[in-house]
Amino acid sequence: MFVVLGANGRAGGETARALLEMGQPLRVFLRRPEQAETWRKLGADVAIGSIEDAHGLADALLGASGAFLLCPPPESGDPYLRAEELGRALARAVREAALPRVVALSSVGARHETGTGIIAMLNILEKHLYGVAPSTTFLRPGYFVETWGEVAQFAISDGVLPSFLAPEQKIPMVSTIDVGRTAAELLCDDFRGQRIVELSGPRDWCADDVATAFGRVLDRPVKTAFVPVEARLAILVQDGVSPDVAEALLGMYGGIASGRVAHEAGNEHLYGAVELIDAVERIVRHMVA
């Protein structure tokens, strides 16, 4: 049996579904009881609790062959303090449950302690989880293509794709479908030790590539609208993002622009199979459904 945290999120949900498709026994660890029935209907066992509760999480991990762990960004407060707290709780739960295998969601750029904004949370997570299980894999994917779903409404309604990424800067991007499939495969392999696996899509893409993909799916022109640095904080705060979290998110985009969020030589590097056009088509399909 495998345990998946964050099953109602992007990467966790795809990992859980991939494991079920592989015929693997699955337990999802959820925060809210009302989310449980959907997963039970899919054939998963369900545990309810908080990842801050190390003992409760350890109970859910007990007897598992492995687990997919993550550190979700906070809704408010200091993201880096939050990462320290969650990293300690996750490490304690893994040790208490004597869990043999961990796949932890990280990110390209997580090798840096600073200069990457909210990605630095994952540097903290990696430090807490390193060596806590006989087999520990830090999965470092690129920028999630599905993140563009947060602004897809503007592409659909106005033919404009707002972007904090420079229109022509190609960066590692990957669909969360590939993240989930890869995480599930890594949980099922027989690796022992500590490793970092970086994951990209079939090729690197830029914001203009994403706009072009939206245009192809919608069958009308879509253009990238680059948001100036000085305008971004106000936009995020207006959208309800707390100032601390907004600053951390903007730090990530600064790290991407500077080239700091990039692949690290010497790590294992895998490539997903989901093309940009297919990922964007799924985003649009969900938006107009």
Side-chain angles (χ1 to χ4, degrees):
M1 178 193 69
F2 295 104
V3 178
V4 171
L5 273 60
N8 286 308
R10 291 173 179 147
E14 296 293 354
T15 301
R17 283 185 282 273
L19 286 167
L20 288 172
E21 288 172 4
M22 294 165 67
Q24 296 291 342
L26 173 69
R27 173 178 296 154
V28 294
F29 187 77
L30 306 176
R31 180 178 292 272
R32 296 191 296 274
E34 62 270 21
Q35 300 170 331
E37 188 58 28
T38 298
W39 287 102
R40 290 194 179 105
K41 287 180 179 178
L42 292 173
D45 184 32
V46 176
I48 306 296
S50 168
I51 57 177
E52 294 93 338
D53 176 10
H55 183 68
L57 178 56
D59 286 344
L61 298 176
L62 198 63
S65 301
F68 177 76
L69 306 181
L70 46 68
C71 180
E75 295 181 359
S76 62
D78 184 335
Y80 312 109
L81 177 60
R82 173 72 167 166
E84 292 282 2
E85 294 169 346
L86 292 182
R88 284 193 294 268
L90 290 172
R92 180 180 172 186
V94 170
R95 292 191 182 99
E96 188 174 326
L99 189 68
R101 184 178 304 277
V102 165
V103 173
L105 181 65
S106 187
S107 171
V108 168
R111 69 184 184 274
H112 298 296
E113 293 184 354
T114 60
T116 59
I118 205 160
I119 292 175
M121 289 183 65
L122 303 173
N123 176 276
I124 295 168
L125 177 70
E126 288 190 10
K127 288 177 178 176
H128 280 289
L129 291 181
Y130 187 86
V132 297
S135 173
T136 303
T137 300
F138 297 107
L139 177 58
R140 292 183 180 175
Y143 191 89
F144 291 169
V145 174
E146 285 73 14
T147 302
W148 294 99
E150 297 169 8
V151 293
Q153 61 188 14
F154 298 104
I156 294 169
S157 62
D158 304 327
V160 172
L161 186 72
S163 175
F164 289 0
L165 299 173
E168 298 180 354
Q169 182 186 7
K170 290 188 183 292
I171 64 169
M173 290 192 202
V174 64
S175 171
T176 53
I177 297 173
D178 281 327
V179 175
R181 290 171 178 168
T182 302
E185 290 167 0
L186 293 172
L187 280 169
C188 293
D189 72 15
D190 58 0
F191 171 81
R192 288 183 64 85
Q194 313 296 305
R195 65 177 168 178
I196 294 169
V197 176
E198 298 195 341
L199 177 66
S200 301
R203 63 196 61 82
D204 289 351
W205 294 302
C206 64
D208 277 352
D209 292 329
V210 180
T212 298
F214 271 101
R216 287 177 59 191
V217 170
L218 297 169
D219 197 25
R220 58 179 183 271
V222 175
K223 294 189 177 297
T224 307
F226 182 62
V227 180
V229 173
E230 60 272 14
R232 297 174 184 176
L233 180 60
I235 291 172
L236 291 178
V237 171
Q238 184 177 355
D239 286 344
V241 182
S242 75
D244 285 344
V245 175
E247 289 284 3
L249 287 169
L250 295 179
M252 177 188 70
Y253 286 101
I256 293 172
S258 70
R260 197 165 176 80
V261 180
H263 292 300
E264 182 180 12
N267 293 329
E268 184 177 351
H269 193 166
L270 302 178
Y271 295 88
V274 178
E275 291 288 349
L276 179 60
I277 186 71
D278 297 320
V280 168
E281 184 176 21
R282 189 176 73 147
I283 292 171
V284 172
R285 187 167 62 248
H286 288 174
M287 292 289 294
V288 300

